[in-house]
Coordinates of all heavy atoms in Angstrom, one line a residue:
A26 N -64.9 -5.1 49.6 CA -65.2 -5.9 50.8 C -64.9 -7.3 50.5 O -65.0 -7.8 49.4 CB -66.6 -5.7 51.2
K27 N -64.5 -8.0 51.6 CA -64.2 -9.5 51.5 C -65.2 -10.3 52.2 O -65.7 -9.9 53.3 CB -62.8 -9.7 52.1 CG -61.6 -9.0 51.4 CD -60.3 -9.3 52.0 CE -59.2 -8.7 51.3 NZ -57.8 -8.9 51.9
E28 N -65.6 -11.4 51.6 CA -66.6 -12.3 52.3 C -66.0 -12.8 53.6 O -64.8 -13.3 53.7 CB -66.9 -13.4 51.3 CG -68.1 -14.3 51.9 CD -68.5 -15.4 50.9 OE1 -67.8 -16.4 50.9 OE2 -69.5 -15.1 50.2
A29 N -66.8 -12.9 54.6 CA -66.4 -13.4 55.9 C -67.6 -14.3 56.4 O -68.7 -14.0 56.3 CB -66.2 -12.2 56.9
A30 N -67.2 -15.5 56.9 CA -68.1 -16.5 57.4 C -67.7 -17.0 58.7 O -66.5 -17.3 58.9 CB -68.3 -17.6 56.4
L31 N -68.6 -17.2 59.6 CA -68.4 -17.9 60.9 C -69.7 -18.6 61.3 O -70.8 -18.4 60.8 CB -67.9 -17.0 61.9 CG -68.9 -15.8 62.4 CD1 -70.0 -16.3 63.3 CD2 -68.0 -14.7 63.1
S32 N -69.5 -19.6 62.2 CA -70.7 -20.2 62.8 C -70.6 -20.1 64.3 O -69.5 -20.0 64.8 CB -70.8 -21.7 62.4 OG -69.6 -22.4 62.8
Y33 N -71.7 -20.0 65.0 CA -71.7 -19.8 66.4 C -72.8 -20.7 67.0 O -73.8 -21.1 66.3 CB -71.9 -18.4 66.8 CG -73.3 -17.9 66.7 CD1 -74.3 -18.2 67.7 CD2 -73.7 -17.2 65.5 CE1 -75.6 -17.8 67.5 CE2 -75.1 -16.8 65.4 CZ -76.0 -17.1 66.4 OH -77.3 -16.7 66.2
R34 N -72.7 -21.0 68.3 CA -73.8 -21.6 69.0 C -73.7 -21.1 70.5 O -72.6 -20.8 71.0 CB -73.7 -23.1 69.0 CG -72.5 -23.7 69.7 CD -72.4 -25.2 69.4 NE -71.3 -25.9 70.1 CZ -71.4 -26.5 71.3 NH1 -72.6 -26.7 71.9 NH2 -70.3 -27.1 71.8
V35 N -74.8 -20.9 71.1 CA -74.8 -20.4 72.5 C -74.6 -21.6 73.4 O -75.4 -22.6 73.3 CB -76.2 -19.7 72.8 CG1 -76.2 -19.3 74.3 CG2 -76.4 -18.5 71.9
I36 N -73.6 -21.5 74.2 CA -73.3 -22.7 75.1 C -73.5 -22.4 76.6 O -73.3 -23.2 77.4 CB -71.9 -23.2 74.9 CG1 -70.8 -22.1 75.1 CG2 -71.7 -23.7 73.4 CD1 -69.4 -22.6 75.1
G37 N -73.8 -21.1 76.9 CA -74.0 -20.8 78.3 C -74.8 -19.5 78.6 O -74.8 -18.7 77.7
H38 N -75.3 -19.4 79.7 CA -76.0 -18.1 80.1 C -75.7 -17.8 81.6 O -75.4 -18.7 82.4 CB -77.6 -18.3 80.0 CG -78.0 -18.7 78.7 ND1 -78.3 -17.7 77.7 CD2 -78.4 -19.9 78.1 CE1 -78.7 -18.4 76.6 NE2 -78.8 -19.6 76.8
S39 N -75.7 -16.5 81.9 CA -75.7 -16.1 83.3 C -76.9 -15.2 83.5 O -77.8 -15.1 82.6 CB -74.4 -15.4 83.6 OG -74.4 -14.1 83.0
D40 N -76.9 -14.5 84.6 CA -78.1 -13.6 84.8 C -78.2 -12.5 83.8 O -79.3 -12.1 83.4 CB -77.9 -12.9 86.2 CG -77.9 -14.0 87.3 OD1 -78.5 -15.1 87.1 OD2 -77.4 -13.6 88.4
R41 N -77.0 -12.1 83.3 CA -77.0 -10.9 82.4 C -76.2 -11.1 81.1 O -76.3 -10.3 80.2 CB -76.4 -9.7 83.1 CG -77.3 -9.1 84.2 CD -76.6 -8.0 84.9 NE -75.3 -8.4 85.6 CZ -74.4 -7.5 85.9 NH1 -74.5 -6.2 85.7 NH2 -73.3 -8.0 86.6
Y42 N -75.5 -12.2 81.0 CA -74.6 -12.4 79.8 C -74.9 -13.8 79.2 O -75.5 -14.7 79.8 CB -73.2 -12.3 80.3 CG -72.8 -11.0 80.8 CD1 -72.7 -10.8 82.2 CD2 -72.7 -9.9 80.0 CE1 -72.4 -9.5 82.8 CE2 -72.3 -8.6 80.6 CZ -72.2 -8.5 81.9 OH -71.9 -7.2 82.4
H43 N -74.3 -13.9 78.0 CA -74.4 -15.2 77.2 C -73.1 -15.6 76.7 O -72.3 -14.7 76.3 CB -75.4 -14.9 76.1 CG -76.7 -14.3 76.6 ND1 -77.7 -15.0 77.1 CD2 -77.0 -13.0 76.7 CE1 -78.7 -14.2 77.4 NE2 -78.3 -13.0 77.2
L44 N -72.8 -16.9 76.7 CA -71.5 -17.4 76.3 C -71.7 -18.1 74.9 O -72.5 -19.0 74.8 CB -70.9 -18.4 77.3 CG -69.6 -19.0 76.9 CD1 -68.5 -18.0 76.9 CD2 -69.2 -20.1 78.0
L45 N -70.9 -17.6 73.9 CA -71.0 -18.2 72.6 C -69.7 -18.8 72.2 O -68.7 -18.4 72.5 CB -71.3 -17.0 71.5 CG -72.7 -16.5 71.4 CD1 -73.3 -15.9 72.7 CD2 -72.8 -15.5 70.2
E46 N -69.9 -20.0 71.5 CA -68.7 -20.7 70.9 C -68.7 -20.3 69.5 O -69.8 -20.5 68.8 CB -68.8 -22.2 71.1 CG -67.6 -22.9 70.6 CD -67.7 -24.4 71.0 OE1 -68.4 -25.2 70.2 OE2 -67.2 -24.8 72.0
V47 N -67.6 -19.9 68.9 CA -67.5 -19.4 67.6 C -66.4 -20.1 66.8 O -65.3 -20.3 67.3 CB -67.2 -17.9 67.6 CG1 -67.1 -17.4 66.1 CG2 -68.3 -17.1 68.3
N48 N -66.8 -20.6 65.6 CA -65.8 -21.2 64.7 C -65.7 -20.4 63.5 O -66.7 -20.1 62.8 CB -66.2 -22.6 64.4 CG -66.0 -23.5 65.6 OD1 -64.9 -23.8 66.0 ND2 -67.1 -24.1 66.1
L49 N -64.5 -19.9 63.2 CA -64.2 -19.1 62.0 C -64.0 -20.0 60.7 O -63.4 -21.0 60.8 CB -62.9 -18.3 62.2 CG -63.0 -17.1 63.1 CD1 -61.6 -16.5 63.3 CD2 -64.0 -16.1 62.6
E50 N -64.6 -19.5 59.6 CA -64.3 -20.1 58.3 C -63.4 -19.2 57.5 O -62.7 -19.7 56.6 CB -65.6 -20.3 57.6 CG -66.6 -21.2 58.2 CD -67.9 -21.3 57.5 OE1 -67.9 -21.1 56.2 OE2 -69.0 -21.6 58.1
T51 N -63.3 -17.9 57.9 CA -62.4 -17.0 57.2 C -61.6 -16.2 58.3 O -62.0 -16.3 59.5 CB -63.1 -16.0 56.3 OG1 -64.1 -15.4 57.0 CG2 -63.7 -16.8 55.1
G52 N -60.6 -15.5 57.9 CA -59.9 -14.8 58.9 C -59.7 -13.3 58.6 O -58.7 -12.8 58.2
R53 N -60.8 -12.6 58.7 CA -60.8 -11.1 58.3 C -60.5 -10.3 59.6 O -60.7 -10.8 60.7 CB -62.2 -10.7 57.8 CG -62.7 -11.6 56.6 CD -61.7 -11.7 55.5 NE -62.2 -12.5 54.4 CZ -61.5 -13.1 53.5 NH1 -60.2 -13.0 53.5 NH2 -62.1 -13.8 52.5
K54 N -60.1 -9.1 59.4 CA -59.8 -8.2 60.5 C -61.0 -7.9 61.4 O -62.0 -7.5 60.9 CB -59.2 -6.9 60.0 CG -58.6 -6.0 61.1 CD -57.9 -4.8 60.5 CE -57.2 -4.0 61.6 NZ -56.4 -2.9 61.1
H55 N -60.8 -8.1 62.7 CA -61.9 -7.9 63.6 C -63.2 -8.7 63.3 O -64.3 -8.3 63.7 CB -62.2 -6.4 63.7 CG -61.1 -5.6 64.2 ND1 -61.2 -4.2 64.3 CD2 -59.9 -5.9 64.6 CE1 -60.0 -3.7 64.8 NE2 -59.2 -4.7 65.0
Q56 N -63.0 -9.8 62.6 CA -64.2 -10.5 62.1 C -65.3 -10.9 63.1 O -66.5 -10.6 62.9 CB -63.8 -11.8 61.3 CG -65.0 -12.5 60.7 CD -64.6 -13.7 59.9 OE1 -63.5 -13.8 59.5 NE2 -65.5 -14.7 59.8

């Protein structure tokens, strides 16, 4: 297995969903 890292923050909401902003630190398949 390969180490995978990312950071996220929630930047929006709707009635049923949530919008996340994601920044990758690594580039793994389907990370």
